Amino acid sequence: MIDYLESIKKRDPAAKSLLSVILTYPGVKAVFFHQISNFFYKAGFDLVARIISQTVRFFTGIEIHPGAKIGKNLFIDHGMGVVIGETSEIGNNVTIYHAVTLGGSSPSIDSERQRHEKRHPTIGDDVVIGSGAQIIGPIKVGNKSRIASNAVVVKDVPDNATMVGIPAKAVKLENKGSFRPYGVDDKVKDE
């Protein structure tokens, strides 16, 4: 737990203490209660799992389906409006900003068949997803990729890519190793 909180403090300059992260960060609460709802989901108590996730959604503004698979150190910054669908898979050390959707591509079409299919994205390790980004369908986002704010991603993303636009396209950045929470800066070059 301490490692998780420290990972958030390293990624957020507003995090002044571990206690403030525990008490005031809705993403921390959402991830904690997701672990509980996921336990009930895996045990076959779907209704209990959904009640927990919906209660947490009410208090945090973050909806994580109990079936979503989440790796270590997920940081949901601000969080309001984040939706993570049932078959989403999220790697380690991922940062997600507010109003992000990891959604299915056509949930109202032939729902019965889709209940048994992968419908949501798989996010690699060390990915940053900017506010308002929409990642839709059973696609893969590669390790260390950046998804810019308001980008709409509907195709697989390779490792180390920075995606911008609607639909999202890869751009090349000069200083690849630095943390850019919104995916772009003044040195962006079109490919």
Side-chain angles (χ1 to χ4, degrees), residues 9-25:
K9 198 170 172 201
K10 286 178 187 172
R11 290 182 270 177
D12 186 5
K16 305 294 189 253
S17 71
L18 297 183
L19 185 60
S20 73
V21 172
I22 291 169
L23 296 176
T24 66
Y25 280 52

Side-chain angles (χ1 to χ4, degrees), residues 128-133 146-152 162-165 181-184:
V128 178
I129 305 172
S131 60
R146 304 293 185 252
I147 309 300
S149 294
N150 297 315
V152 177
T162 297
M163 306 298 288
V164 300
Y182 297 103
V184 296

Side-chain angles (χ1 to χ4, degrees), residues 4-174:
Y4 171 56
L5 298 172
E6 287 288 351
S7 79
I8 291 171
K9 198 170 172 201
K10 286 178 187 172
R11 290 182 270 177
D12 186 5
K16 305 294 189 253
S17 71
L18 297 183
L19 185 60
S20 73
V21 172
I22 291 169
L23 296 176
T24 66
Y25 280 52
V28 170
K29 293 171 186 65
V31 170
F32 173 77
F33 282 103
H34 169 72
Q35 293 172 343
I36 296 168
S37 69
N38 182 256
F39 169 82
F40 283 106
Y41 181 84
K42 287 178 179 177
F45 296 101
D46 186 63
L47 181 59
V48 173
R50 291 301 303 250
I51 289 170
I52 293 168
S53 72
Q54 291 302 295
T55 302
V56 173
R57 175 184 178 217
F58 177 80
F59 286 107
T60 66
I62 299 167
E63 181 173 343
I64 305 174
H65 191 284
K69 296 176 183 170
I70 297 176
K72 295 186 318 184
N73 301 330
L74 171 62
F75 176 31
I76 302 173
D77 195 3
H78 301 290
M80 185 59 75
V82 168
V83 177
I84 299 173
E86 178 180 24
T87 62
S88 296
E89 297 177 46
I90 300 173
N92 298 323
N93 305 309
V94 171
T95 302
I96 297 176
Y97 287 85
H98 62 279
V100 166
T101 300
L102 304 182
S105 53
S106 55
S108 64
I109 301 169
D110 195 9
S111 294
E112 189 58 41
R113 179 185 55 79
Q114 291 187 55
R115 281 186 179 81
H116 310 291
E117 291 183 355
K118 172 91 166 123
R119 306 182 310 278
H120 300 90
T122 298
I123 309 299
D125 295 339
D126 303 302
V127 172
V128 178
I129 305 172
S131 60
Q134 308 297 300
I135 304 174
I136 307 298
I139 63 174
K140 293 183 179 177
V141 174
N143 296 329
K144 298 183 181 179
S145 292
R146 304 293 185 252
I147 309 300
S149 294
N150 297 315
V152 177
V153 181
V154 294
K155 294 183 180 175
D156 287 350
V157 174
D159 290 352
N160 300 302
T162 297
M163 306 298 288
V164 300
I166 303 171
K169 296 178 190 173
V171 295
K172 189 180 271 186
L173 294 179
E174 301 261 329

